[in-house]
Amino acid sequence: MTSKPPILPTGQPATKRRILTGDTPTGRLHLGHFVGSLENRIRLQGEYDCYFLLANMHAFTTRAERFADIRQDTIEIVKDWLAAGIDPGRSTIVLQTEVPAIAELSWFFAMLVPFNRVMRNPTLKTEIESKGLGDSYSFGFPMYAVGQCADILAFRPDLVPVGVDQVAHIEMCREIARRFNQVYCAVDTHAEDQRHESLGGVFPIPAALVGRVGRLVGTDGKQKMSKSLDNAIFLSDTPKQVKKKIGAMYPGQTRDPDQPGDPDINPVFDYADIFVKDQAFVADLRERYRKGDNLGDGHIKAYVIEAVNELLDPIRERRARFEGPGGDDTVIDIIRAGTRRANAVAEETLAMAKERMGLNFGARAEMLGTER
Ligand code: ATP
Ligand code: MG
């Protein structure tokens, strides 16, 4: 029983393994996205058949009334992707709300996971707290965690590049995939994960791929950098904004340049470790900081500001191409073309799933009355 088509809708041979990941349009992309996931996506887009999802439905779970912002953020995120190096000629950009198979799979998957299992998810708990959702979050909010399993599994990928905060979600996705395969495809409960598809399961058991920095701290030095927490350095920030944000960071302690300090509690050093290329130089700075060797916090910040701007300069340059008149329309064309390709894969997955569930009453086009 084969589960993959000979040629994928992107024109890639079926032997090419797939990646699915994405971002929620709740704001622009920041350095955390870059080191947590974007770098891996860019690196792997030649090797894998890649699908990058705009999770715009999920943006509605926390800001349903801000629909105009969600629309613009969707476009801005694509600009960030393109600027960072995502190539729409090689990778497929997918708009979640135009892939109906995802919404349908979400329902079926919601029946394969206990309610309490969803609510125990540590990422959801942290988000409820850090986003101040209290006890008035929408019914749809926790549903996004199940929806995300459908986002992923609709594309039957092998790998999901994410930051650390998403690993708990991927674990739930893996559980749901196993359960589907066991309940509807007679895959043995003891089967190894990598054998599920060859044993007739519809879904592979996808693995999370965490980037070189799984959790970049925000400029507040405490919470994870997050687009909805006002602690982010955006890929689209100007050099002046970068200078201002890093310049205002609290170095974790109060000290004079000639007083010994602790670099390990200073978040500016975290950034130095991640963004300054010359690590021997950073090690030397740490040493001098520890000794109180006339090294002010402003100095370290200046090195970090320079390194971050060096990383962002080419991204800014590429982004500028989409910022003029017609830029949004170009992006919308890319979204349309990608989503069309994505629907071919997602519809195929849904048809496979429905067939195993005894829901193959008729072809989709026949049921929708859209057959030619
Ligand atoms: P929101 O505040 O709306 O939740 P976010 O900043 O957390 O936004 P998401 O769209 O939820 O961004 O996450 C997109 C991807 O980026 C996920 O894979 C997530 O793990 C990763 N990511 C987000 N923030 C960071 C971070 N600070 N460090 C590393 N990876 C991150
Ligand atoms: Mg998030």
Side-chain angles (χ1 to χ4, degrees), residues 22-24 26 30 32-33 36-37 41 127 131 161-166 213-216 224-228:
D23 302 304
T24 325
T26 43
H30 52 66
H33 296 118
S37 168
R41 301 181 202 178
E127 273 188 275
K131 292 177 183 170
V162 284
V164 151
D165 65 312
Q166 293 296 315
V213 181
R215 179 192 183 275
L216 182 72
K224 111 179 163 69
M225 187 176 281
S226 175
K227 47 183 145 57
S228 29

Side-chain angles (χ1 to χ4, degrees), residues 44-339:
L44 296 172
Q45 64 180 338
E47 221 177 294
Y48 283 78
D49 186 32
C50 292
Y51 295 82
F52 300 128
L53 182 94
L54 296 154
N56 61 335
M57 176 85 87
H58 295 181
F60 280 79
T61 65
T62 54
R63 49 183 74 186
E65 67 293 344
R66 292 174 58 186
F67 56 95
D69 290 345
I70 296 174
R71 182 184 170 89
Q72 196 55 42
D73 286 338
T74 302
I75 293 169
E76 297 305 325
I77 283 190
V78 177
K79 290 181 190 172
D80 286 333
W81 284 351
L82 300 172
I86 300 288
D87 172 4
R90 287 194 288 171
S91 299
T92 301
I93 289 178
V94 189
L95 185 67
Q96 190 181 44
T97 46
E98 292 305 325
V99 183
I102 291 176
E104 291 180 55
L105 286 170
S106 301
W107 259 100
F108 292 125
F109 291 164
M111 264 76 81
L112 293 180
V113 59
F115 177 75
N116 289 336
R117 166 74 182 88
V118 177
M119 299 312 291
R120 265 202 323 268
N121 184 314
T123 305
L124 275 190
K125 284 188 181 169
T126 312
E127 273 188 275
I128 289 168
E129 204 180 294
S130 69
K131 292 177 183 170
L133 302 178
D135 57 5
S136 59
Y137 52 81
S138 65
F139 184 72
F141 175 72
M143 181 63 190
Y144 103 76
V146 180
Q148 190 171 312
C149 302
D151 297 336
I152 297 169
L153 294 176
F155 296 91
R156 289 174 283 137
D158 299 285
L159 271 190
V160 189
V162 284
V164 151
D165 65 312
Q166 293 296 315
V167 171
H169 284 336
I170 309 301
E171 199 43 53
M172 197 166 84
C173 171
R174 289 158 60 82
E175 285 170 26
I176 288 177
R178 284 187 202 109
R179 186 139 166 77
F180 187 99
N181 292 343
Q182 288 158 3
V183 172
Y184 300 114
C185 313
V187 173
D188 189 84
T189 45
H190 300 294
E192 289 168 37
D193 285 347
Q194 58 277 25
R195 295 199 60 218
H196 268 241
E197 275 184 296
S198 62
L199 292 172
V202 168
F203 298 107
I205 314 301
L209 177 73
V210 175
R212 80 182 158 107
V213 181
R215 179 192 183 275
L216 182 72
V217 73
T219 50
D220 55 4
K222 294 185 193 114
Q223 306 222 59
K224 111 179 163 69
M225 187 176 281
S226 175
K227 47 183 145 57
S228 29
L229 292 182
D230 198 23
N231 66 357
I233 296 172
F234 297 103
L235 301 185
S236 50
D237 276 349
T238 61
K240 217 168 148 187
Q241 285 169 314
V242 170
K243 188 170 175 201
K244 197 167 161 203
K245 288 180 181 178
I246 295 175
M249 280 175 75
Y250 176 60
Q253 57 219 291
T254 315
R255 60 179 274 283
D256 291 325
D258 51 1
Q259 300 265 302
D262 183 357
D264 299 339
I265 59 164
N266 184 344
V268 183
F269 271 105
D270 288 344
Y271 288 7
D273 289 342
I274 295 162
F275 299 109
V276 176
K277 283 196 188 117
D278 186 349
Q279 281 301 303
F281 176 70
V282 175
D284 187 53
L285 285 183
R286 275 183 180 275
E287 214 30 54
R288 286 181 55 201
Y289 197 81
R290 251 186 245 288
K291 283 193 206 142
D293 182 14
N294 195 28
L295 182 64
D297 286 298
H299 272 93
I300 307 152
K301 287 178 180 175
Y303 293 125
V304 172
I305 291 166
E306 191 188 316
V308 168
N309 277 327
E310 207 179 291
L311 170 75
L312 295 185
D313 272 341
I315 297 180
R316 290 182 185 119
E317 239 170 74
R318 283 193 292 266
R319 202 180 200 286
R321 291 182 213 154
F322 301 99
E323 275 163 356
D328 285 10
D329 291 340
T330 307
V331 165
I332 291 170
D333 284 346
I334 291 171
I335 293 174
R336 279 201 189 129
T339 304

